[in-house]
Structure formats: C-alpha cells, structure tokens
Amino acid sequence: MPRVVSVYLPTLATDRTRRADPGILVDTPVVVVSRRGSKRTVAAVDAAAFKAGVRIGMPAAKAQAMISGLHLVDADPDGDVLAIERLALWMLRQYTPVVAMDSPNGIVMDTEGADHLRGGELAMLTGLVNALRGRGLQACGAIADTWGSAHAIARATQREVIIVPVGETSKAVVNLPISCLRLPPDIVSGLTVLGFHTVGELSATPRAPLALRFGPQVGRRLDQMFGRLPEPIDPIRTADLIEVARSFSEPIGASETIAKYIGKLVVELCAALETRGQGVRRADLIIYRVDNTLQSLRAGTAKPVRDIPRLTKLLCSSIEKIDPGFGIEKLSLAATMFEPFDDKQSISSLVEANVIDVTSLLDSLGNRGQRLYRLAPVESDVPERNVGRVSPVSERLGQAWPTRWPRPSRILKHPERIEVIALTPDHPPASMTWRGKRRRIMCGDGPERVFGEWWVRSSEMEAVRDYYSVEDEDGNRFWVYRSGDGVDLATGTAKWFLHGIYG
C-alpha cells in the first residue's frame, strides 16, 4: 500500500521575506500584502503578526493601524512557486523518486519503499521537518495512505509531525473540517450553509443529492481521501534531468520481463550519460500501472558510475518489491543525481599492485537501508565532538588523531565533580575524591605525572594546562580538568571535574 507524505509550509511567504532580509528582528511582525486594483489586503502573516490579531484578507491599512512597526512587503506569488519547486527538487534528490508540488504552499511525496533508507517513517519525517526549520522555513508533515488524507491532516492540526498507521485513514479524517477536502471555496460555503462541518458528516450523506447540487467533485474528493479512488502523483521533472522511458502495448507483470526491460533502460541511460560526460549517483525507476497508480525503486551509488551490469544488478535486486497489479504499462528510469565522470586507465597488474574496489559492496549494503560512513578526526577541544562522519569513499583529509598523549577510552556522559588537594591552584591535584573514595595521585619523574591535553597535536597550545591525565596508586588513570569559572567559595579551592577514564 502506498504511503504519502504531505509537507505544508504555512508561512512560506513570510519565511522567504525573513531569509531575504536577515536584519528583520525576530519579534517584528511580518505581513505580505497583495494588490487587487486599488485594494491592498493581507495575503500572508507570520506567527508574531497572527498573535497580534492580523488575519489573512484583512485590509492592509487596518493591519498597520493595529500594530506599530509592522513590516509590510508586497506579495510575490511567482517567487513562492519557484521556492516550492526548488524544495521539491531537493526532496526528489534526497528522499524519494515521486515528488510533486501541492499548490499553493505544499509538497507531496510517495515514500513507498524509500523510508527505510532514512531509518523509517518517523525518522524520515522528523529529519525532513528539522531540515526545513534549519533553512528558516516552518513546516508541518503528515504521512497517511492517501494524498487527500495526508493533505488534510497536515493542514488541520497543529503538530509538526503526524503519522497515521496503515489502514487507519478513516478514523483519522472523520472529524476534520470539510475545508480540508481541496474543494473550491464556493462549494465549501454551500456545504456549510447546508449544515455540513466535518468530513464524517459529509461522507455519511447520500451522494445523489450532493452530486445534483454541487457536481461530481465532492464525491471524487471523498473517494480519493478514503482510498476508494486512486490519485496518482505526477513526479516533478526538470529540463536537465536525464530520463529514459519505455511504454508497452500490452501490460507486463512477470519479474523476468521486468528485469529484461530494466536492463534495456539501463543501457539507454548509460548511453545518455556518456554523451554528457556524467556518471549516475542516484537512479530512480518509476513503474506506471494500468490502474493509474505509481510505484518506484531507488538505487544509489557511492561514486559516479556508468557500469551497466552494476546498475542493473542494483535495480533488479529490489524487483520483489514491485506489485504489478493488473499490469505495468510504462517504465521510466531517471538519473536524479549525477556528477562528472572521469575515465581512468586500469592499472596493469604487471607494473602496479591492484587496488581492490569495494564500492560495489558499499552500494549493495547502502541500498538495503544500511547507513554507511567512515569516522574522521575533527579538531575540537570537546572530546565528544572530535569525531565526524564522512562518506566511506571520501578522500583522506590528511588529519589524524594525536598520538602524543593517549586518548581516554571512555568519556562520562556528564562530567562529575571531584574534591582535590593541590599544592597550589595552578598545579594538578595531589589527591582526589571521586564517588566517595579518596585516591592519591602518584608522582613520576617530575613533581606530578602530567600528560597534558590529549587532543593537542603539537606545541600550538603548550600554555593550556586545564586538562590532565593522572594516575592513582592502584594504576588507574583518569582524565580530569579544572573549571575556568573561578574557585569554590565554600572551600576556597578550584573546581575540578572528572570527565574520562583510560582503559
């Protein structure tokens, strides 16, 4: 069963205004004004303006009279559409092959078979909303079985992330207002006059009187919401997208036949990529069924490739996920992410040693939903942040963890306060009490056995001596530091904390 994601951007116009002008203060109300002849009305408001009482459709002069310091901008509907299109193309590359614009301020996606690559529906939708928030865009997302139900739920509730379990669409939409049915305003107002307020009330009414008065649109929207009538999502496409397709005069359904035509499409796609000097990083297969529904498969690669057997194997490994239904009438294969492809001469085994290429293995594991990465050192004075994730095939940065001082094998979740006795406030502790046990610090060649900061690679920070590696009488070694916020007023000594333990 398809799973549809509806992303709703309620304050897109005002968010775009704030992104374009970073000088606008956070608490300054922003209002977008549209012009119709000589009339100027409010077309969009942000949270601050809404809280102050400004509503959409209100005259702009009234809004200015209500709030002093109101920031007014002219509406730019074409710019809003372009922004939605750019976001849809970004989601096409990052999340799923089937993405479309849901005008005027939304995006719809079919994530069937793609959510496992993002850790499941909850992780995928939460990450998507957080990514949009990081771009300065407020968003709400809903996942349901149909486009109509996901669209209505995302706009009718205040929660940012809503997931409707499979098969529970009817329970989730019966209490929603009829304004969420994507009907024209005149039909909504006419239904309201007749006493209909919720989707459940409207769906329990006989269809004939409604169709006679309002036409077939009401029944069609209800059927689409409850899944009785399919509503395909036409994927967004751009002019520079590399795509090949094949239609069939007779529907196909056997897995062997599907695999055969996938191989032919891969050959055509690689030929198109070769003419442009590109290699595919992400290939999407769209399956058009005769019942007007879509399915999709996605295959990603660790680096740009034009290897026909390799791409064919990656796509055909997921054929069991395809449900042909009553038959497939069209297959489309698109390279939604591609990069320049550099041909390299193969290494002769007689002259140089062969380098084993493991990218094919990485591709197979990655397309099964495994998150693959390589750990790389990151310069940071906070031990928990000195490790970063990079691509498993990324070039080495030339950095390495310092070996001058040993690294703690275990970092405590929260540094724990310790009581110390030091010769002077500037010296490391001579003894310490941690978790009720007094530990005497052993002396080495000098007055104290001090190893220094383990992350310092050279003499760049020789003067810094806040962190120490100390050893007690039992041979246990600890990583301690002196706080920089002064001394403990009760004891008159510096504040010390234990942060890590050496194995």
Side-chain angles (χ1 to χ4, degrees):
M1 177 178 291
R3 296 290 283 171
V4 181
V5 177
S6 179
V7 180
Y8 176 46
L9 304 166
T11 58
L12 175 65
T14 56
D15 290 342
R16 288 184 58 242
T17 302
R18 291 187 179 275
R19 283 166 53 90
D21 188 0
I24 301 176
L25 300 179
V26 178
D27 55 351
T28 300
V30 178
V31 172
V32 177
V33 178
S34 62
R35 297 176 181 269
R36 292 183 181 178
S38 60
K39 293 184 178 180
R40 299 172 68 244
T41 57
V42 176
V45 298
D46 66 348
F50 185 84
K51 185 177 181 180
V54 182
R55 298 294 183 265
I56 296 176
M58 177 184 296
K62 183 178 179 180
Q64 285 181 298
M66 292 174 56
I67 306 174
S68 61
L70 185 65
H71 187 85
L72 293 177
V73 294
D74 292 331
D76 182 17
D78 294 335
D80 294 340
V81 172
L82 290 176
I84 290 288
E85 184 178 0
R86 288 194 297 268
L87 288 174
L89 292 174
W90 170 71
M91 295 179 189
L92 173 69
R93 293 189 294 268
Q94 298 293 329
Y95 291 95
T96 178
V98 183
V99 181
M101 299 171 59
D102 192 4
S103 299
N105 50 5
I107 299 172
V108 62
M109 304 185 298
D110 186 347
T111 59
E112 181 187 11
D115 55 354
H116 70 283
L117 299 176
R118 292 281 177 173
E121 292 183 343
L122 179 60
M124 177 191 64
L125 190 57
T126 304
L128 173 58
V129 172
N130 291 337
L132 293 174
R133 186 187 297 110
R135 294 169 177 249
L137 302 173
Q138 297 298 320
C140 299
I143 300 181
D145 295 337
T146 63
W147 181 351
S149 58
H151 175 98
I153 294 170
R155 286 156 178 79
T157 57
Q158 301 297 326
R159 295 167 54 188
E160 291 186 345
V161 175
I162 306 161
I163 299 178
V164 179
V166 177
E168 297 186 8
T169 299
S170 300
K171 299 179 182 178
V173 301
V174 290
N175 294 322
L176 298 182
I178 59 175
S179 58
C180 299
L181 279 173
R182 295 176 292 166
L183 293 171
D186 56 339
I187 295 181
V188 174
S189 61
L191 292 171
T192 304
V193 170
L194 294 178
F196 297 105
H197 299 285
T198 65
V199 174
E201 295 173 353
L202 190 61
S203 62
T205 303
R207 294 288 181 85
L210 294 176
L212 183 62
R213 182 162 183 172
F214 300 103
Q217 194 169 1
V218 176
R220 182 172 67 253
R221 289 304 189 189
L222 286 172
D223 291 338
Q224 289 174 346
M225 174 177 283
F226 287 97
R228 295 187 288 263
L229 185 66
E231 186 178 9
I233 301 174
D234 189 15
I236 187 173
R237 291 292 183 260
T238 58
D240 59 344
L241 190 70
I242 303 176
E243 184 176 14
V244 295
R246 177 162 299 196
S247 302
F248 309 105
S249 56
E250 294 291 336
I252 64 173
S255 58
E256 297 82 3
T257 307
I258 298 173
K260 181 181 72 172
Y261 285 105
I262 288 177
K264 294 182 179 181
L265 289 176
V266 170
V267 173
E268 297 178 13
L269 182 66
C270 290
L273 290 167
E274 186 175 3
T275 58
R276 300 192 186 186
Q278 304 285 340
V280 66
R281 283 292 312 278
R282 187 164 295 155
D284 295 335
L285 179 68
I286 309 296
I287 300 101
Y288 297 82
R289 304 197 314 185
V290 295
D291 58 355
N292 204 23
T293 59
L294 301 180
Q295 287 186 306
S296 62
L297 294 178
R298 167 163 285 185
T301 59
K303 63 181 182 180
V305 297
R306 288 203 304 259
D307 190 344
I308 295 176
R310 181 170 169 182
L311 288 175
T312 304
K313 180 180 178 181
L314 289 176
L315 290 169
C316 291
S317 63
S318 302
I319 284 184
E320 68 275 2
K321 299 179 181 178
I322 299 176
D323 180 14
F326 296 103
I328 299 172
E329 62 181 2
K330 182 181 177 181
L331 291 176
S332 173
L333 182 61
T336 53
M337 184 181 294
F338 47 85
E339 297 176 1
F341 183 82
D342 297 328
D343 293 326
K344 296 182 180 179
Q345 183 177 1
S346 59
I347 299 175
S348 174
S349 60
L350 300 178
V351 180
E352 302 178 23
N354 289 329
V355 178
I356 300 177
D357 187 7
V358 298
T359 54
S360 59
L361 175 62
L362 298 177
D363 295 342
S364 299
L365 295 176
N367 286 279
R368 295 175 186 174
Q370 303 293 329
R371 304 286 302 269
L372 303 177
Y373 56 87
R374 181 165 54 85
L375 297 179
V378 177
E379 291 188 6
S380 175
D381 58 349
V382 180
E384 296 88 339
R385 301 176 184 172
N386 80 317
V387 177
R389 296 182 180 183
V390 298
S391 171
V393 295
S394 64
E395 298 290 339
R396 294 189 177 274
L397 303 178
Q399 298 178 350
W401 281 290
T403 57
R404 183 176 177 180
W405 294 286
R407 302 174 65 244
S409 58
R410 183 165 68 93
I411 300 295
L412 300 182
K413 186 175 182 180
H414 301 287
E416 298 185 12
R417 179 76 181 273
I418 58 176
E419 298 178 2
V420 304
I421 296 177
L423 299 178
T424 65
D426 295 332
H427 279 71
S431 65
M432 68 177 187
T433 301
W434 176 54
R435 295 184 178 179
K437 181 179 180 180
R438 172 72 66 177
R439 301 172 186 271
R440 185 167 61 91
I441 305 301
M442 299 298 294
C443 297
D445 298 332
E448 300 291 346
R449 179 173 296 179
V450 179
F451 298 92
E453 301 80 7
W454 58 266
W455 68 83
V456 178
R457 295 176 300 153
S458 61
S459 60
E460 299 173 358
M461 300 176 63
E462 285 293 338
V464 179
R465 281 295 178 265
D466 286 335
Y467 285 82
Y468 301 92
S469 175
V470 297
E471 183 175 346
D472 66 2
E473 59 221 12
D474 297 329
N476 301 314
R477 294 176 56 203
F478 305 94
W479 189 57
V480 300
Y481 71 92
R482 181 177 58 242
S483 176
D485 60 354
V487 299
D488 189 341
L489 298 179
T491 62
T493 60
K495 298 179 182 179
W496 286 81
F497 295 87
L498 189 147
H499 204 173
I501 302 174
Y502 293 88

